[in-house]
């Protein structure tokens, strides 16, 4: 398959800090270099190694967090896990920066999926109390990067921006929901039990810093509903089997059923806020406080849109490769 | 470690159909035999193989589902995935019966965890619109199998039974929520990224038939909350670090922080209901309907309590073994 | 794919003790049952579980070996590895009986390979000082089970029988060489580095009890040869590329080159002999001796022929499945 | 654990082309950089990423090999395997250069093993017809890098140099044998069946370009020997169990028995020689010839000594980590 650094870079650029007042001021250019696995513009069959160097790293604040661990961050358990020897600079392996690698890999996965007609999108459906209010159309999803909050429902953008502005003013942060969609996934993709599409998706999504809940379709509402309300009935449409509703999010028993894969991902509000929070000085084991200065992302959702897309693409492409769908097209 | 068939059987018995009017009438004795890996009452270090034979299998209804796939079940995607050659009897690999194996394995995991003081519990916190209303105490969790709805909050049991009774009368089914807890998990258990405790837990839980959403702690509410509302602040308690709240469910960055692991699992309402549902005849590709007769589980939650416990135990014991916690005790 | 217990049983029967005076008198019927993964005579896509129950197990002699470990057997390191808790009956996981499972799995692998025209054979090319003397033809390999020493070169059988007879008379045992061949393997099968055909083959073959050396083609002689003597030159034959010789055994860089895969496997002489051997009493840490009574296999090679065939088949079918060769035929 | 680039570099330097007339003239500085996993001179618990950039790459000759594949090299099967898209420069993934990564990883494995007293060595025991003639002592093994043929038996060096000189003069190449040893390996290290020490060692060694045969101890001779000649009898020595001989190479049933691990690795003579060899022009499918110019390694053995050491170290450290031996020391 042909692939270029520019194609991967275009995906990475979607993950960059938003060019608005709402986001961190760190310069993260995230320039990707493909160092192996691509030759003469085409994949060679060897593993593809891509490198994104860190730039503009100011490690000083992290010295403090070794002694005074930030609540809501992995500082404290990481010290225990690695006996204090881990690389704490920039948050280390627990930093959101690690998702740049997911997006770079996702760029290749998306391109492979496009060979079999599968398209993957995501958007922000909730920021704090502002909701999208409805499902976006495919066309709206395709234009999701046109607004800074990455919400594909145009009429909801303003309210979300308002929520963000207010939180920033108050030095606080906001939780968010990102919804991912994959269209044209053929039925029967996936495996039962340990590597169902839902298991694989959930595992990868929970690896993204800040994710606290994952559901398929309308899974968050499932406990409150009755069977007669939750069932997606089968109907024939233009000679093909489909369902009238998609509450299952396109996955049953770990297998796709041919309707769009639909996943909801709940992100916590970032833990770094400009308010005083209580913590413990690990040297003295005495109570102390922390208060962030500088600017930080007040909300994870907008920057997480390409990450959720990538997670979806990576899981689907793995199964598609395993089942020989993509090999059949490449030959 | 010593282990007996009786110990495993005791766990399996918790998963059996409830002895109330609310549950399936299939006789599932689920008698377990340990066929290898245990010798003279002790584990040998070899893989433990346990066998649970199927009994009382009536495959006749499943013949119909090959032609008229049940909405909400994996009948249809399984036909596509396996080209029609899969073993459809009893729902095959997509049947809830597959969870008996998880519970048997979980029995061993629980016993290993008990060697390092870790205790694992679960209970039903919601059935339809009836909620537990509060967190149960550890003592209440220990008595969870005393009532048929497996809710550890005594005052909520009656309302849940009412919901169940009404749904059964109307031939409908109900969604439910099961919450799992692990106590005394030391901080620093887990791994970053692809094998975080949360990733591994979510992957295993989504492998359980009927699971549609998973969160850590108060993850389902995260999108609506602000950072100042969601942070668990660190404090010193009896010389040890802990948090005042546990919204993170005991896991940050894939690592335990020393507070109880707390996971919520949303189960869909069972798809088999005594109401007519639309489906498609795969032979004729014409619309048709299905309507269940006989009795089926109207709600997954109560029988899923030992399954959620087992999933928790299996993930924790894997990490504890990897990190040498249990080996240190066994020697 | 269609598969029956009888087909698997036919392969297992090849591994049974030889009906001659040269072999063990233990009754090992090795009856196989397929308990899952096959339905209506066809594989379902689910994992295939086959069970071979142990019969005629006399565990008494093994009680002695716990205290007086047999030289050349895994008794001693197994006691250390598993802290004395392992199941020592019949040699446990270190017994040659474990290879019955390889042969059962190999039966399925062979059938899958036959779908793409690949044929797998093996024969005994050396017993003690008696050698086959030449490469057998494919037809000779097909008739390998017609003589009790499983040597496909008819003129060498008598000398091998003589070696065996003499060793049995003297209460001693003999080393042996088994050579495996796979015909019609297409070029380009395999992977570089960690999962080359040669790496995978060697790993699996060394898992067979008694294997002490493995080579591809004429690898055992490689250190003594010059480049000009070892190179297989490429020529065109009927429009296809092949080589004039096959010293490389059909594998270069982990990949098949289209010539027959040819592997040599050196088996140690069995350690159980009717001669007194020195060992140590683990209770007293004093020198002692052991001397086998009863009858044992004096040579591994003849019974190992179906095992080497199975190892070859299993490795090739894994790569063929990964590369989509078999999937393309099954559809 | 502390580790520096210099320590890794020292191991890599052992793999560099020999500073004699016998070796390739390509400049391969193999400068290693540690880019992650080490912080403040200590490992962090994160994966260690090391980079060795290629220098002095002249890809021109490899253009020819795409059309006229070199006999004995992977050119031809790689073209088939990767549909012609693979990166053929310098031999690509099939080049011996790939072993630099094994040596870099081996440097870390060796240091970890040194924490538990395990020492790993290797030497060249045969070049063409010149043999070491006897086992070297540990002290001799420690000085193996003092002579250009890397043979630890001083009296054999001259004959090996003579063989090399003659082969170079005639434009030919030589096969070789490298023997690896690991001392102070505790008994009971390893696993049965699929991950025995022998299986893992063989798999990794066969991944090294040029390896054609592997044996444990005196495995190459096993087929010719009798049980009474091959058994290593147990004796007590200073209160510990050991054996009088070590024909098993320290491994039985996949487990170490406490004697030195001893492995023999047969390397083919390099296929690149200054003699005309027959091949096929893939464009025209007509017979043609190739003849190397320039200088190439006439023998793999001397440069493979640190590679065999690394393979031994990597396999042993994996098992030692799994069994908690090293963790116990690090804490």
């Amino acid at each position: 398959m042909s692939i270029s650094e520019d194609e991967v870079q275009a995906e990475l650029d979607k993950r960059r800090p938003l060019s608005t007042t709402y986001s961190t001021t760190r310069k993260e250019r995230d320039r990707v270099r493909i160092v192996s696995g691509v030759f003469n513009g085409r994949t060679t069959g060897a593993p593809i190694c891509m490198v994104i160097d860190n730039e503009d790293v100011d490690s000083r604040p992290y010295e403090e967090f070794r002694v005074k661990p930030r609540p809501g961050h992995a500082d404290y358990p990481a010290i225990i896990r690695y006996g204090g020897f881990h690389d704490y600079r920039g948050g280390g392996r627990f930093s959101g920066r690690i998702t740049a690698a997911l997006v770079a890999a996702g760029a290749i996965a998306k391109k492979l999926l496009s060979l079999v007609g599968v398209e993957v999108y995501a958007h922000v459906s909730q920021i704090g109390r502002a909701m999208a209010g409805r499902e976006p159309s495919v066309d709206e999803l395709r234009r999701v990067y046109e607004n800074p909050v990455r919400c594909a429902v145009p009429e909801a953008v303003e309210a979300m921006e308002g929520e963000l502005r207010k939180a920033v003013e108050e030095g606080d942060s906001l939780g968010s929901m990102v919804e991912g969609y994959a269209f044209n996934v053929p039925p029967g993709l996936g495996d039962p039990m340990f590597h169902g599409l839902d298991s694989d998706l959930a595992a990868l999504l929970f690896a993204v810093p800040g994710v606290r809940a994952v559901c398929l379709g309308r899974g968050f509402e499932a406990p409150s509903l009755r069977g007669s309300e939750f069932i997606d009935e089968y109907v024939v449409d233009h000679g093909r089997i489909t369902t009238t509703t998609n509450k299952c999010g396109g996955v049953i028993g770990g297998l796709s059923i041919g309707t769009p894969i639909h996943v909801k991902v709940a992100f916590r509000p970032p833990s770094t806020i400009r308010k005083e929070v209580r913590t413990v000085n690990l040297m003295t084991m005495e109570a102390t406080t922390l208060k962030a200065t500088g600017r930080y992302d007040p909300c994870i959702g907008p920057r997480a849109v390409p990450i959720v897309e990538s997670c979806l693409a990576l899981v689907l492409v793995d199964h598609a490769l395993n089942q020989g769908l993509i090999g059949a097209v490449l030959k």
Side-chain angles (χ1 to χ4, degrees), chain A:
Chain A
M1 187 185 71
S2 71
I3 190 82
S4 70
E5 284 182 357
D6 286 350
E7 289 172 280
V8 179
Q9 190 63 52
E11 289 297 315
L12 278 170
D13 289 348
K14 295 178 182 170
R15 201 197 69 96
R16 286 168 63 186
L18 309 177
S19 49
T20 72
T21 54
Y22 316 133
S23 191
T24 168
T25 54
R26 275 173 292 174
K27 286 196 209 80
E28 298 177 0
R29 285 199 313 138
D30 281 349
R31 293 302 310 176
V32 70
R33 286 177 296 128
I34 300 179
V35 297
S36 73
V38 176
F39 178 56
N40 289 339
R42 288 174 173 277
T43 56
T44 64
I48 296 172
C49 178
M50 299 185 277
V51 173
I52 303 165
D53 287 310
N54 274 322
E55 301 171 350
D56 189 33
V57 179
D58 179 1
S59 304
R60 282 168 302 174
Y62 296 94
E63 297 284 347
E64 181 181 13
F65 307 147
R66 294 180 68 192
V67 177
K68 294 163 66 174
R70 292 169 292 171
H73 285 271
D75 301 330
Y76 167 62
I79 287 166
I80 305 290
R81 176 69 175 93
Y82 298 108
F85 293 112
H86 67 292
D87 186 347
Y88 51 81
R89 294 169 299 178
R93 301 170 82 191
F94 302 95
S95 162
R97 282 191 52 65
I98 215 82
T99 57
L102 286 177
V103 173
I108 293 165
K110 282 181 186 176
K111 185 146 191 203
L112 280 166
L113 287 173
S114 74
L115 299 176
V116 289
V118 174
E119 293 177 56
V120 171
Y121 301 104
H123 85 125
V124 174
S125 65
Q126 182 181 353
I127 290 181
R129 281 172 187 79
M131 314 269 190
R134 63 165 173 88
E135 302 267 308
S137 69
V138 180
D139 271 349
E140 287 171 335
L141 285 166
R142 288 194 179 118
R143 292 195 301 270
V144 71
Y145 291 102
E146 291 178 7
N147 70 72
V149 294
R150 308 319 195 198
C151 173
V153 176
E155 64 269 25
V157 172
E158 195 178 308
M160 290 186 184
E161 290 191 295
E163 279 281 288
L164 273 175
R165 204 175 304 116
K166 213 169 102 205
V168 169
E169 282 165 14
E170 297 174 14
D172 213 333
S173 67
L174 286 169
S176 50
M177 183 89 80
V178 176
E179 303 194 24
Y181 298 86
F183 299 100
N184 298 324
V185 176
L189 193 75
D191 280 303
M193 285 298 291
F194 302 120
H195 285 286
L197 286 186
D198 39 4
S199 282
D200 285 357
L201 268 171
L204 190 53
L205 287 165
F206 270 107
V208 175
V211 170
R212 304 311 293 182
V214 169
C215 81
L216 265 286
R218 290 180 55 188
F220 289 144
E221 303 155 59
S224 309
L225 295 177
R226 291 193 156 203
S228 55
E229 297 169 307
F230 199 82
I231 284 177
D232 300 306
E233 295 180 305
Y234 289 120
V235 293
V236 181
D237 181 36
H238 294 85
R240 295 177 57 185
I241 291 175
T242 187
T243 55
T244 48
T245 51
N246 193 27
K247 291 160 196 160
C248 73
V251 180
I252 297 181
L255 305 178
S256 62
I257 65 162
T259 57
I261 309 290
H262 179 203
V263 62
K264 298 187 188 178
V265 190
F267 284 89
R268 61 175 300 155
S271 301
T272 304
I273 54 178
R274 289 204 315 281
K275 290 172 183 270
E276 204 162 77
V277 291
R278 285 186 291 167
T279 185
V280 173
N281 182 312
L282 297 180
M283 297 293 128
T284 63
M285 285 303 277
E286 282 173 1
T288 180
T289 59
L290 270 176
K291 185 178 166 182
T293 55
R295 279 223 291 255
Y296 292 92
D297 280 323
C299 184
I300 298 173
R303 290 188 65 190
V305 167
I307 301 167
V308 170
E309 288 175 358
S310 293
C311 290
L312 255 173
L314 288 164
V315 168
L316 292 174
V317 86
D318 263 5
H319 283 275
L321 286 167
N322 283 345
Q323 290 180 223
L325 300 188
I326 289 171
V329 169
L330 280 176
K331 271 168 193 169

